[in-house]
Amino acid sequence: MKTLFIGDTHLKSALILPLIDELLVDHKIKRIIFMGDYTDFRGQEENPKLYAKDLMYLKKWIDEKTNKDYEVITLIGNHDINYYNHFPADYSLHDPEAFLAVSDFLDDFNLQVAYKLDDYLVSHAGFNILFDIEDWHFDFIDGQHDDELIRFSIAVGPNRGGRDGGGSPVWADFRELELLPNENFYKQIVGHTPQKSINHSKHILAGKPSEVIGVDTFAVDKNFNFYGNGEILIYDDISKKFEIKSTNWASEETKNKLINYIGN
């Protein structure tokens, strides 16, 4: 089976997912993993219309793929967890009623903290040495672990401006995973840290081969300047090999569509 990873969408699903549609059939994809951070776009905290239309587009797309027998995994990110915990951040949607509506809507996404794919641990930001993996991380979030999720939302390391020794599985910086890997998972696939292209970092730590793969290639700033090139990672669990596919993401055409989409 082939698995495709979709980096942080941040209210840009309607622009990103058509690019994914072009790859699904051609490459015989059967599993799709969303890496989290479906919500929030810097500068759009007063734009509930954008949240509504993009999250509904995303949910419809996921439902359509599920009905066509794709396996769709939806991980939770640091932006999404604020809505789940009902604790707004400065970058969250500011309108209280709209904020709660987004919180309720995310309940239908069957979010989970992590996914195990062969030897790879997949999560939004990754598990560093400070956080242990637990069985419930692989299940749908069901309200039984709210205290742990609150801890996840506030555990931020210095690379992200926090005071903790390292970030939680929704806040860890890519560099933390390279320097402070979880001893039980030396191979991880993450979003969260924007990448200019798919970043497949390999090195040796404590005598063990370590891999961290960053797939967050759809980042743009509030002025619609592209940071990532929109590359897509695909994994074949038969050959145990990765493929990287390019898209038309970082283009003037996409930028014009994005400006129109955000503003309307």
Side-chain angles (χ1 to χ4, degrees), residues 190-208:
V190 299
H192 184 59
T193 301
Q195 307 289 345
K196 292 183 178 180
S197 58
I198 298 294
N199 186 355
H200 196 162
S201 174
K202 296 182 179 181
H203 44 283
I204 302 296
L205 285 172
K208 294 183 179 180

Side-chain angles (χ1 to χ4, degrees), residues 82-151:
N82 291 317
Y83 294 90
Y84 181 86
N85 290 333
H86 294 178
F87 292 153
D90 64 333
Y91 46 74
S92 303
L93 191 57
H94 287 173
D95 181 88
E97 185 175 344
F99 179 91
L100 290 176
V102 171
S103 300
D104 291 340
F105 195 73
L106 287 177
D107 286 339
D108 294 331
F109 275 69
N110 292 328
L111 301 178
Q112 59 193 76
V113 173
Y115 184 81
K116 186 75 163 50
L117 181 64
D118 287 346
D119 293 335
Y120 292 88
L121 180 64
V122 188
S123 64
H124 175 66
F127 285 74
N128 57 37
I129 196 171
L130 301 177
F131 288 83
D132 295 326
I133 194 77
E134 299 181 26
D135 289 343
W136 70 269
H137 296 158
F138 299 111
D139 296 329
F140 297 153
I141 295 171
D142 59 4
Q144 301 300 308
H145 302 277
D146 288 354
D147 288 345
E148 291 97 325
L149 292 171
I150 290 172
R151 177 178 174 240

Side-chain angles (χ1 to χ4, degrees), residues 1-200:
M1 180 185 292
K2 288 187 177 182
T3 301
L4 181 147
F5 303 84
I6 302 177
D8 310 21
T9 53
H10 283 300
L11 301 178
K12 305 185 300 295
S13 297
L15 282 298
I16 294 170
L17 296 183
L19 303 176
I20 304 302
D21 281 324
E22 296 176 6
L23 298 173
L24 293 179
V25 176
D26 290 346
H27 296 281
K28 299 180 180 179
I29 306 297
K30 294 306 295 180
R31 181 187 293 117
I32 302 163
I33 301 180
F34 283 89
M35 304 299 293
D37 275 4
Y38 317 100
T39 57
D40 301 337
F41 188 110
R42 281 289 185 183
Q44 300 302 316
E45 297 85 4
E46 305 287 351
N47 188 358
K49 180 180 178 182
L50 173 61
Y51 284 74
K53 70 178 180 180
D54 198 71
L55 292 176
M56 286 191 289
Y57 180 96
L58 174 60
K59 184 64 168 61
K60 181 181 178 182
W61 192 92
I62 290 174
D63 288 345
E64 288 176 349
K65 294 299 180 282
T66 301
N67 290 336
K68 292 181 179 178
D69 294 327
Y70 288 91
E71 180 184 0
V72 181
I73 310 299
T74 46
L75 303 178
I76 191 168
N78 59 300
H79 285 260
D80 317 313
I81 206 168
N82 291 317
Y83 294 90
Y84 181 86
N85 290 333
H86 294 178
F87 292 153
D90 64 333
Y91 46 74
S92 303
L93 191 57
H94 287 173
D95 181 88
E97 185 175 344
F99 179 91
L100 290 176
V102 171
S103 300
D104 291 340
F105 195 73
L106 287 177
D107 286 339
D108 294 331
F109 275 69
N110 292 328
L111 301 178
Q112 59 193 76
V113 173
Y115 184 81
K116 186 75 163 50
L117 181 64
D118 287 346
D119 293 335
Y120 292 88
L121 180 64
V122 188
S123 64
H124 175 66
F127 285 74
N128 57 37
I129 196 171
L130 301 177
F131 288 83
D132 295 326
I133 194 77
E134 299 181 26
D135 289 343
W136 70 269
H137 296 158
F138 299 111
D139 296 329
F140 297 153
I141 295 171
D142 59 4
Q144 301 300 308
H145 302 277
D146 288 354
D147 288 345
E148 291 97 325
L149 292 171
I150 290 172
R151 177 178 174 240
F152 282 0
S153 70
I154 61 177
V156 184
N159 285 0
R160 291 297 179 125
R163 297 181 178 180
D164 292 272
S168 74
V170 300
W171 267 112
D173 189 76
F174 190 86
R175 191 64 175 148
E176 292 177 27
L177 304 180
E178 292 181 304
L179 297 176
L180 302 170
N182 186 292
E183 62 182 10
N184 294 314
F185 289 96
Y186 275 79
K187 296 182 178 181
Q188 298 195 46
I189 302 171
V190 299
H192 184 59
T193 301
Q195 307 289 345
K196 292 183 178 180
S197 58
I198 298 294
N199 186 355
H200 196 162

